[in-house]
């Protein structure tokens, strides 16, 4: 099966989810994921009081994200989106928001196993790091967000000195979350995008759009479901990829622009097929 056919199959399976599970995925796809992801990296976070949990996180950054997103979500023009998507989030304080996000995480877990890969697929993840920073995990949360194509990860690259592209083979039968919708920020119809951009005015008009061919196609996995093994890594100069339908990905085939990146070829193994109870991320020699 091609990547396109697999994605279409996953979207059909999406109908198995409850309304609350579908909403939870959209909440996760909002910028509130910047709060939820660090939370999940704290052992026992679900049972931990929010006050204690926040002290173990980057409190200043988390609070800033909360305040900025609350301000946008509560704009009058976003009232419909707030009631449709964020009705389960209590924005009374950062602590009530964090408690609500714990429930969102449980809804995501509740959807576990309802959507599964019908065939093996290659997905992509991109991160930027400081030069020489050690990478020993593909992600630092219990949720692994990936793109269906290398173009889907461009916005996560070239923010720091070193850029890493993980080319990950996910196996048939793996549990995955997906949605045919995206929550996007735009400028209002009465705003000039160029003028707003030049003045540093953020996009505050929230919209739900159905994914089309140019939309980012995100596949969300539960990180602890898998063992990961790095087959090789290599520094590559990359340019535009002319063949978007190519299924067999080699190190030189990952294209996200004319830049230098470190490409990691990763294989995944379902823990259900192993007699081990912990994940591993094994780096082999270059």
């Amino acid at each position: 099966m091609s990547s396109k056919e697999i994605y279409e199959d996953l979207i059909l399976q999406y109908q198995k989810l409850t309304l609350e599970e579908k909403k939870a995925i959209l909440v996760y796809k909002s910028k509130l994921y910047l709060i939820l992801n660090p939370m999940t990296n704290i052992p026992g976070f679900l049972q931990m009081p929010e006050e204690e949990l926040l002290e173990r996180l980057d409190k200043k950054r988390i609070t800033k994200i909360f305040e900025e997103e609350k301000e946008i979500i509560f704009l009058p023009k976003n009232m419909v989106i707030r009631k449709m998507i964020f009705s389960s989030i209590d924005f009374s304080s950062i602590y009530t928001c964090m408690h609500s996000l714990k429930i969102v995480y449980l809804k995501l877990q509740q959807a576990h196993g309802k959507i599964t890969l019908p065939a093996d697929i290659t997905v992509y993840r991109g991160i930027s790091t400081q030069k020489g920073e050690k990478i020993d995990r593909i992600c630092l949360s219990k949720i692994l967000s990936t793109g269906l194509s290398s173009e889907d990860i461009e916005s996560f690259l070239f923010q720091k000195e070193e850029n890493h592209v993980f080319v990950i083979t996910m196996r048939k039968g793996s549990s995955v979350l997906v949605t045919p919708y995206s929550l996007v920020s735009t400028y209002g119809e009465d705003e000039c995008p160029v003028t707003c951009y030049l003045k540093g005015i953020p996009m505050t008009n929230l919209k739900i759009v159905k994914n089309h061919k140019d939309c980012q196609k995100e596949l969300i996995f539960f990180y602890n479901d898998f063992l990961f093994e790095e087959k090789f890594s290599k520094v590559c100069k990359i340019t535009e990829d002319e063949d978007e339908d190519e299924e067999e990905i080699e190190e030189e085939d990952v294209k996200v622009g004319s830049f230098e990146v470190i490409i990691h070829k990763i294989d995944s193994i379902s823990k259900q097929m192993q007699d081990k109870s912990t994940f591993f991320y094994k780096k082999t020699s270059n």
Side-chain angles (χ1 to χ4, degrees):
M1 297 177 72
S2 68
S3 294
K4 180 180 178 182
E5 290 171 330
I6 293 174
Y7 187 75
E8 290 173 349
D9 183 276
L10 296 178
I11 294 301
L12 288 176
Q13 294 184 57
Y14 165 84
Q15 301 306 323
K16 300 176 184 178
L17 304 185
T18 67
L19 179 59
E20 292 305 311
E21 291 164 352
K22 292 175 180 178
K23 285 184 178 181
I25 297 175
L26 279 177
V27 171
Y28 180 74
K29 285 172 67 69
S30 76
K31 289 188 178 179
L32 292 181
Y33 87 92
L34 294 170
I35 300 176
L36 178 56
N37 271 358
M39 288 170 53
T40 69
N41 199 38
I42 304 297
F45 79 99
L46 286 172
Q47 294 77 35
M48 191 177 296
E50 285 73 33
E51 293 80 3
E52 180 183 345
L53 183 56
L54 185 58
E55 292 299 324
R56 297 185 61 176
L57 300 171
D58 187 338
K59 184 175 182 179
K60 184 177 180 180
R61 179 175 180 269
I62 294 293
T63 302
K64 183 174 184 289
I65 293 169
F66 165 73
E67 292 173 346
E68 290 176 348
E69 289 310 297
K70 177 180 178 179
E71 182 178 356
I72 292 174
I73 291 168
F74 274 77
L75 289 173
K77 61 184 177 181
N78 292 326
M79 181 180 68
V80 174
I81 294 294
R82 184 172 78 247
K83 291 184 179 297
M84 286 179 59
I85 305 303
F86 297 100
S87 59
S88 64
I89 306 298
D90 186 344
F91 287 97
S92 300
S93 70
I94 178 59
Y95 302 115
T96 58
C97 179
M98 291 170 66
H99 182 76
S100 298
L101 289 175
K102 288 181 179 180
I103 298 173
V104 167
Y105 178 77
L106 290 174
K107 292 296 182 184
L108 296 177
Q109 281 195 321
Q110 183 177 294
H112 186 276
K114 292 186 179 181
I115 305 175
T116 58
L117 290 177
D120 292 358
I121 192 172
T122 297
V123 294
Y124 302 82
R125 179 172 174 81
I127 62 172
S128 287
T129 65
Q130 300 298 338
K131 189 172 182 62
E133 183 177 339
K134 184 179 179 181
I135 303 294
D136 55 8
R137 285 187 58 159
I138 299 174
C139 73
L140 296 178
S141 76
K142 292 185 178 181
I143 302 174
L144 174 62
S145 178
T146 66
L148 188 63
S149 72
S150 54
E151 286 77 12
D152 290 330
I153 64 172
E154 288 183 25
S155 61
F156 300 99
L157 297 173
F158 314 115
Q159 299 174 9
K160 296 180 182 178
E161 295 176 301
E162 285 188 348
N163 299 283
H164 300 261
V165 173
F166 297 95
V167 183
I168 312 167
T169 301
M170 304 302 290
R171 300 300 179 182
K172 177 181 178 180
S174 299
S175 179
V176 60
L177 296 179
V178 66
T179 176
Y181 301 100
S182 291
L183 182 64
V184 300
S185 300
T186 66
Y187 290 115
E189 294 180 359
D190 58 342
E191 295 177 305
C192 174
V194 175
T195 301
C196 289
Y197 177 79
L198 293 175
K199 291 183 177 181
I201 299 173
M203 293 181 284
T204 59
N205 194 52
L206 299 179
K207 295 172 60 178
I208 299 176
V209 298
K210 191 161 187 179
N211 290 347
H212 52 77
K213 66 176 182 177
D214 296 323
C215 278
Q216 181 190 45
K217 293 178 175 60
E218 184 176 11
L219 277 67
I220 302 168
F221 298 89
F222 297 89
Y223 186 81
N224 286 345
D225 280 356
F226 305 97
L227 307 172
F228 292 99
E229 181 178 10
E230 181 173 289
K231 294 299 186 180
F232 66 77
S233 65
K234 184 175 182 179
V235 177
C236 295
K237 281 271 189 178
I238 51 179
T239 55
E240 291 297 330
D241 187 359
E242 296 180 357
D243 186 2
E244 296 182 356
D245 294 324
E246 186 69 34
E247 292 186 38
E248 294 298 324
I249 305 296
E250 299 296 338
E251 57 201 88
E252 66 272 14
D253 291 330
V254 181
K255 315 299 188 215
V256 291
S258 280
F259 299 95
E260 185 175 274
V261 300
I262 302 170
I263 296 176
H264 307 262
K265 186 70 173 67
I266 308 293
D267 196 11
S268 69
I269 307 170
S270 170
K271 285 185 179 179
Q272 292 181 346
M273 301 178 183
Q274 298 292 315
D275 57 1
K276 300 179 181 180
S277 60
T278 57
F279 64 85
F280 74 95
Y281 175 72
K282 179 181 177 183
K283 302 190 74 173
T284 56
S285 58
N286 293 351

